[in-house]
Amino acid sequence: KRRKIVSDNSSKWYYQPSTGTVFQGKKTGWDDRMGPYDSEEEARAAMEKVAERNKAADDWDEEDDDWGVAEK
């Protein structure tokens, strides 16, 4: 007999980018929800974390663009 493993994220926090709303439990569709986060504070900081990760990725891309280019 197979068991279906389902994570209970009802106590987790989520961020809705379209409205800037933070809420507990999955109240919106996956396409407009970020999370889960362990705390309301983490969910409120979701966009800050996104900005940090985007900056790091952009920095890496710039370094990668220069790969193999001889310095003058």
Side-chain angles (χ1 to χ4, degrees):
K1 184 177 177 182
R2 294 181 114 184
R3 288 180 157 190
K4 186 176 180 181
I5 299 174
V6 176
S7 64
D8 178 21
N9 288 330
S10 62
S11 65
K12 298 287 186 172
W13 290 86
Y14 296 86
Y15 177 80
Q16 186 176 27
S18 64
T19 64
T21 304
V22 171
F23 52 88
Q24 202 168 19
K26 293 180 179 177
K27 296 179 182 171
T28 64
W30 64 268
D31 58 337
D32 192 25
R33 180 183 69 223
M34 294 171 62
Y37 300 96
D38 291 327
S39 69
E40 181 178 3
E41 183 177 280
E42 283 182 76
R44 289 199 185 283
M47 294 309 291
E48 292 172 26
K49 183 64 83 176
V50 168
E52 290 171 8
R53 290 179 178 164
N54 284 347
K55 170 95 172 78
D58 289 345
D59 291 347
W60 183 86
D61 282 344
E62 286 180 22
E63 290 175 21
D64 191 53
D65 287 345
D66 295 337
W67 183 84
V69 176
E71 290 189 29
K72 294 180 181 183

